[in-house]
């Protein structure tokens, strides 16, 4: 079975993430979306909330499942019996960092990295940017699934200055 991992923090998941996950699901028998549990960072959404949103928005893919992980990504890959990581690249600046990680992962555990260029529609998109726009009441409906848009509005809009 050809199994791949799409890792990330997904705080929150964007349409760019979903593009990579969906395209990966056509290349592999199974795709595991690995949600990183990073205890040194506090996200806007809990890991459980991110997993719930990811499961909802990937439900149409029969061969995609969502799991969380702590520690080294290569250890998660081993535990999942996945020998490939899929990483989306938005710009050349992403490549510098991701290449170093890919070389470390192949050296540590023989885990290959497939770099997938992001659809140009999403080349500027990041979770941080979406959160910032949502925080100020901007329209993010073209950038995230509806369930994520609603969750962001619920979480962030009460903080909008009124007047």
């Amino acid at each position: 079975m050809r199994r791949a991992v799409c890792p990330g923090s997904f705080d929150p998941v964007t349409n760019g993430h979903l593009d990579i996950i969906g395209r990966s699901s056509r290349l592999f028998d199974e795709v595991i979306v690995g949600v990183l549990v990073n205890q040194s960072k506090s996200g806007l959404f809990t890991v459980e909330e991110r997993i719930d949103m990811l499961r909802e928005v990937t439900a149409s893919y029969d061969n995609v499942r969502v799991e969380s992980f702590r520690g080294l990504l290569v250890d998660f890959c081993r535990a999942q019996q996945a020998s490939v990581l899929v990483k989306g690249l938005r710009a050349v600046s992403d490549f510098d960092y991701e290449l170093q990680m890919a070389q470390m992962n192949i050296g540590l555990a023989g885990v290959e990295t497939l770099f997938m260029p992001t659809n140009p529609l999403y080349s500027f998109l990041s979770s941080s940017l979406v959160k910032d726009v949502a925080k100020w009441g901007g329209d993010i409906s073209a950038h995230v699934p509806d369930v994520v848009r609603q969750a962001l509005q619920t979480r962030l809009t009460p903080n909008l200055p009124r007047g």
Side-chain angles (χ1 to χ4, degrees):
M1 174 179 276
R2 296 173 307 148
R3 186 174 287 141
V5 170
C6 287
S9 59
F10 303 102
D11 188 36
V13 61
T14 68
N15 289 342
H17 292 129
L18 291 177
D19 173 59
I20 298 298
I21 293 166
R23 289 164 53 202
S24 297
S25 76
R26 294 191 301 268
L27 298 174
F28 296 94
D29 298 317
E30 184 177 30
V31 174
I32 302 128
V33 178
V35 180
L36 173 65
V37 177
N38 186 345
Q39 292 168 327
S40 65
K41 278 177 141 179
S42 64
L44 178 63
F45 296 102
T46 67
V47 171
E48 293 76 20
E49 288 171 323
R50 288 182 254 162
I51 288 171
D52 288 346
M53 284 188 276
L54 276 159
R55 285 183 176 152
E56 184 171 339
V57 300
T58 61
S60 63
Y61 300 108
D62 293 336
N63 64 336
V64 172
R65 67 181 160 94
V66 182
E67 305 289 340
S68 64
F69 73 97
R70 289 179 166 77
L72 291 177
L73 178 54
V74 293
D75 291 339
F76 177 69
C77 290
R78 271 193 212 120
Q80 300 299 319
Q81 300 179 333
S83 59
V84 178
L85 290 168
V86 178
K87 296 296 214 82
L89 296 178
R90 294 172 293 189
V92 173
S93 56
D94 288 347
F95 182 74
D96 291 335
Y97 173 76
E98 294 295 348
L99 178 61
Q100 291 175 348
M101 296 302 294
Q103 291 169 329
M104 181 63 78
N105 291 336
I106 192 81
L108 284 173
V111 175
E112 295 286 354
T113 301
L114 170 67
F115 295 121
M116 189 174 287
T118 302
N119 182 321
L121 292 172
Y122 310 119
S123 63
F124 65 92
L125 198 52
S126 71
S127 294
S128 299
L129 184 57
V130 165
K131 286 186 284 193
D132 200 40
V133 170
K135 179 173 75 174
W136 297 106
D139 181 9
I140 56 168
S141 58
H143 310 301
V144 295
D146 197 49
V147 65
V148 175
R149 181 190 57 75
Q150 290 172 11
L152 282 165
Q153 286 178 333
T154 299
R155 183 77 36 102
L156 295 174
T157 327
N159 298 328
L160 237 147
R162 308 276 184 227

